[in-house]
């Protein structure tokens, strides 16, 4: 789900639950690899389901409590004594992190050392996760950001910039107008890197408003995430960007956790184990929504690739992890995959997982994107679950510029952000009820298929189905007769007029007036039947202006700022 030149990727109490360490594998006699080592039981553990606060945050426990989900033995951390036994084995094995849900540990060691570990009485089995060892590079501390220039906090439809249509298509504009912008919701983004995310002006509110809750790098260890692939930055921007007049994402007021789990330089099951570790971390800190634009089908030799028959949600490590994440009350949103026009054709892991929201891609008109992977799962379940704009989706690059990209990678976070806002608006729902509410009111709810799933969801439609006695207004300002203009504040590029219905189908006269009432620009525009039309005014001095648009005896005005 990144460009075709890459393979597509589309707490200390938490420390005891997830030991994510920045370590360098020790020198050994043989080739050092990473292995998933499973334990036989959790007998003798010092942890108890009666005292979950020892390994789960208060926010994590509150999320479970709201949904009636009990803390179970599966949530208990690996017995620390078992981890100590591995570390005591000769050959200097390194325990990189542990998994509560799988009762396992990711261990870096050579084959001789692995043989000694397998001889331990509490070890049941192991699988090799990669075929090469890498030494982590140096880490860079997050950069302190400068104060941004003042911005108008009231984001209107004319202020979304190129992200307008992808928001509009799923009702996110109305969601924001109703006051649901992700406030108080926590979203974890699993990806391959977030370069520039600490510098991009549209993402500065994350830092200035202290809504960047944490960062974790499960590939290299530690917390440095502002490097590697820009794919994560692109995906994050579709949700988190909040620069009215330039770009506004679907969840511009949510709190985020950024997790690197994907290594774009190779493809091995270790990345699925990283996904598992990140999901357990997200659970432990109280994340509400996981957005994952990653997928697994083929691995680099000699790792064994999956077949379509494996896509049951019960085989792949990442799929099993996603199912567990759903069972503890997180809303897992996963990209379907970009194999629709390739030999594989079908969805990938973890998109095949049960009880998650798998997202396919459509264009701005709601048509299936040619690359978007198809269902069903190998065991016959409908996939994708829902679809959102993934063809010519507006995203932001590490240099802060906006461009359009293709991939279910982008449809996934676009919809994840809306789902977070929908859950904010309906806080008594469980994660599974959120999926049902969006699915049952989507465009293909009556006739779901394995191309678009249940279709394209809409915040207003789903919200009104739950609140029939207090529905939201579904009439847009343009439909109600208001004139719009964006980006606002305006820069050096062209503007877009949002033309109300009363002015369509007629030649338009445009005048721009400064604060003194003097006309500084005039244009004649041909008749249009569309809601939007480009407006090129030429250079304007910095200041505030009024744009008048008239046809016959009808006049509409809108104020804008030129920067």
């Amino acid at each position: 789900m990144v460009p075709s030149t890459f393979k597509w990727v589309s707490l200390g109490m938490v420390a005891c639950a997830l030991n994510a360490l920045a370590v360098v594998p020790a020198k050994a006699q043989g080739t050092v690899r990473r292995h998933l080592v499973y334990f036989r039981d959790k007998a003798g553990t010092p942890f108890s389901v009666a005292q979950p606060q020892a390994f789960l945050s208060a926010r994590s426990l509150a999320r479970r409590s709201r949904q009636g989900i009990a803390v179970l033995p599966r949530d208990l951390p690996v017995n620390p004594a078992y981890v100590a036994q591995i570390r005591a084995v000769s050959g200097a094995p390194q325990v990189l992190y542990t998994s509560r849900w799988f009762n396992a540990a990711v261990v870096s060691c050579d084959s001789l050392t692995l043989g000694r570990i397998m001889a331990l009485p509490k070890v049941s089995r192991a699988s090799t996760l990669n075929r090469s060892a890498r030494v982590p590079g140096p880490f860079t501390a997050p950069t302190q950001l400068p104060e941004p220039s003042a911005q108008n906090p009231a984001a209107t439809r004319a202020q979304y910039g190129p992200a307008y249509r992808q928001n509009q298509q799923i009702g996110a504009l109305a969601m924001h107008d109703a006051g649901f912008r992700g406030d108080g919701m926590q979203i974890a983004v699993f990806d391959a890197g977030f370069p520039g995310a600490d510098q991009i002006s549209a993402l500065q509110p994350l830092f200035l408003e202290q809504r960047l809750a944490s960062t974790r790098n499960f590939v290299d260890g530690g917390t440095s995430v502002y490097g590697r692939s820009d794919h994560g930055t692109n995906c994050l921007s579709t949700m988190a960007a909040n620069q009215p007049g330039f770009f506004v994402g679907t969840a511009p007021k949510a709190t985020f956790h950024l997790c690197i789990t994907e290594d774009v330089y190779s493809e091995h099951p270790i990345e699925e184990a990283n996904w598992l570790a990140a999901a357990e971390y997200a659970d432990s800190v109280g994340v509400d929504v996981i957005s994952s634009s990653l997928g697994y089908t083929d691995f680099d030799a000699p790792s064994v690739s999956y077949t379509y028959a494996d896509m049951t949600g019960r085989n792949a490590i990442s799929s099993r992890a996603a199912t567990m994440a759903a069972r503890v009350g997180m809303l897992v949103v996963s990209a379907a995959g970009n194999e629709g026009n390739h030999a594989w054709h079908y969805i990938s892991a973890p998109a095949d997982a049960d009880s998650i929201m798998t997202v396919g891609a459509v264009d701005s008109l709601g048509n299936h994107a040619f690359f978007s992977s198809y269902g069903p799962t190998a065991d016959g379940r409908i996939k994708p679950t829902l679809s959102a704009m993934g063809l010519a989706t507006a995203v932001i690059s590490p240099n802060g510029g906006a461009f359009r990209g293709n991939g279910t990678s982008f449809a996934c976070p676009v919809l994840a952000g809306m789902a977070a806002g929908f859950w904010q608006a309906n806080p008594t729902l469980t994660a599974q009820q959120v999926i049902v509410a969006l699915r049952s009111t989507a465009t293909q709810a009556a006739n779901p298929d394995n191309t678009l799933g249940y279709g394209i969801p809409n915040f207003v439609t789903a919200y009104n189905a739950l609140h029939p006695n207090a529905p939201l207004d579904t009439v847009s300002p343009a439909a109600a007769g208001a004139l719009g203009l964006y980006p606002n504040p305006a820069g050096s590029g062209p503007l877009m007029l949002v033309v109300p219905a009363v002015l369509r189908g007629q030649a338009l006269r445009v005048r721009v007036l400064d604060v003194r009432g003097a006309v500084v620009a005039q244009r004649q525009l041909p008749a249009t039947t569309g809601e939007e039309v480009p407006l090129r005014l030429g250079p304007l001095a910095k200041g505030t202006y009024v744009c008048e648009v008239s046809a016959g005896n009808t006049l509409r005005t809108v104020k804008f700022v030129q920067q």
Side-chain angles (χ1 to χ4, degrees):
M1 288 168 309
V2 293
S4 59
T5 49
F6 295 87
K7 65 183 178 66
W8 73 270
V9 293
S10 340
L11 173 273
M13 68 180 180
V14 172
C16 67
L18 178 63
N19 296 311
L21 308 175
V23 296
V24 178
K27 291 183 179 180
Q29 293 181 345
T31 301
V32 174
R33 300 188 177 102
R34 294 184 178 186
H35 313 271
L36 188 58
V37 177
Y38 292 84
F39 299 104
R40 297 185 184 279
D41 53 49
K42 294 183 179 181
T45 177
F47 302 101
S48 167
V49 295
Q51 295 182 310
Q53 64 275 10
F55 50 91
L56 295 174
S57 69
R59 202 175 192 285
S60 177
L61 295 173
R63 188 193 65 237
R64 283 173 167 78
S65 178
R66 286 194 305 271
Q67 301 180 67
I69 299 172
V71 177
L72 300 175
R74 70 186 178 201
D75 298 306
L76 296 175
V78 169
N79 191 331
Y82 298 174
V83 176
Q85 290 170 15
I86 289 180
R87 288 179 171 143
V89 168
S90 61
Q94 301 292 321
V95 178
L96 303 181
Y97 44 81
T98 60
S99 168
R100 295 180 282 114
W101 299 338
F102 283 26
N103 193 25
V106 173
V107 181
S108 177
C109 66
D110 62 19
S111 57
L112 290 176
T113 305
L114 179 63
R116 300 184 190 108
I117 291 172
M118 292 299 297
L120 294 173
K122 292 299 183 179
V123 171
S124 63
R125 60 190 176 92
S127 61
T128 299
L129 297 171
N130 73 334
R131 298 292 172 174
S132 62
R134 291 195 325 101
V135 177
F139 296 157
T140 303
T143 304
Q144 181 64 41
L145 298 172
E147 290 282 341
S149 58
Q151 296 173 353
N152 181 356
T156 66
R157 285 165 177 77
Q159 293 179 300
Y160 284 75
Y164 177 81
R165 178 55 182 159
Q166 62 212 46
N167 278 268
Q168 181 196 46
Q169 188 179 61
I170 56 175
L173 300 177
M175 179 177 79
H176 296 167
D177 286 347
F180 306 115
R181 303 167 67 85
D183 306 70
M185 303 299 294
Q186 295 203 2
I187 303 174
V189 186
F190 298 176
D191 220 291
F194 304 89
D198 57 337
Q199 299 290 337
I200 295 170
S201 60
L203 294 177
Q204 285 185 349
L206 277 180
F207 299 85
L208 296 167
E209 298 168 13
Q210 298 183 333
R211 292 185 291 105
L212 196 287
S214 73
T215 59
R216 291 293 185 276
N217 186 332
F218 294 93
V219 174
D220 303 310
T223 60
S224 178
V225 299
Y226 303 117
R228 292 184 155 267
S229 170
D230 59 2
H231 187 257
T233 305
N234 302 154
C235 292
L236 174 66
S237 69
T238 68
M239 296 180 283
N242 191 18
Q243 188 174 351
F246 169 61
F247 196 113
V248 178
T250 51
K253 287 291 186 178
T255 295
F256 289 86
H257 301 259
L258 307 184
C259 299
I260 293 181
T261 66
E262 180 72 13
D263 185 350
V264 296
Y265 302 111
S266 64
E267 188 80 329
H268 291 290
I270 181 62
E271 294 158 289
E272 292 194 273
N274 295 341
W275 201 105
L276 165 66
E280 294 193 17
Y281 170 74
D283 169 37
S284 69
V285 297
V287 160
D288 301 299
V289 179
I290 292 174
S291 178
S292 170
S293 292
L294 306 169
Y296 303 96
T297 55
D298 297 326
F299 293 117
D300 298 339
S303 294
V304 179
S305 297
Y306 293 125
T307 66
Y308 173 60
D310 292 316
M311 298 294 106
T312 64
R314 298 184 297 274
N315 294 315
I317 292 173
S318 58
S319 301
R320 291 156 54 203
T323 300
M324 288 299 301
R327 288 178 179 173
V328 298
M330 289 185 285
L331 175 59
V332 181
V333 187
S334 174
N338 296 337
E339 301 296 331
N341 60 331
H342 295 140
W344 177 272
H345 186 70
Y346 296 104
I347 48 94
S348 56
D352 64 328
D354 192 13
S355 305
I356 74 167
M357 185 186 294
T358 299
V359 185
V362 295
D363 64 15
S364 63
L365 300 178
N367 301 310
H368 175 258
F370 65 93
F371 52 79
S372 186
S373 290
Y374 295 85
T377 60
D379 57 343
R381 288 175 288 115
I382 289 176
K383 291 284 183 172
T385 314
L386 295 164
S387 296
M389 189 168 162
L391 181 64
T393 310
V395 301
I396 298 178
S397 66
N399 66 10
F403 69 97
R404 295 194 179 276
N406 298 335
T408 59
S409 281
F410 303 145
C412 171
V414 165
L415 187 49
M418 188 272 265
F422 183 79
W423 205 357
Q424 175 198 358
N426 301 279
T428 62
L429 297 183
T430 66
Q432 295 306 302
Q433 289 170 337
V434 169
I435 295 175
V436 171
L438 294 176
R439 189 181 67 188
S440 63
T441 56
T443 56
Q444 295 190 166
N447 296 289
D449 58 29
N450 288 302
T451 302
L452 301 185
Y454 290 79
I456 303 167
N458 184 279
F459 174 87
V460 175
T461 306
Y463 182 92
N464 288 350
L466 293 177
H467 304 275
N469 296 323
L472 294 175
D473 184 6
T474 59
V475 179
S476 71
L483 176 70
L485 180 149
Y486 70 90
N488 186 8
S492 59
L495 299 170
M496 293 295 293
L497 280 177
V498 183
V499 182
V502 69
L503 291 175
R504 296 176 205 161
Q506 308 169 74
L508 302 177
R509 181 189 180 197
V510 180
R511 298 199 313 163
V512 177
L513 294 77
D514 64 17
V515 292
R516 301 170 300 169
V519 177
V520 296
Q522 296 189 70
R523 295 291 184 272
Q524 295 289 331
L525 301 179
T528 178
T529 57
E531 184 173 312
E532 297 184 5
V533 60
L535 175 63
R536 292 175 173 83
L537 295 175
L540 291 175
K542 293 182 179 180
T544 301
Y545 297 87
V546 173
C547 179
E548 293 183 350
V549 180
S550 61
N553 295 323
T554 303
L555 173 69
R556 293 292 184 270
T557 65
V558 62
K559 184 181 292 186
F560 71 98
V561 176
Q562 177 70 43
Q563 291 184 335

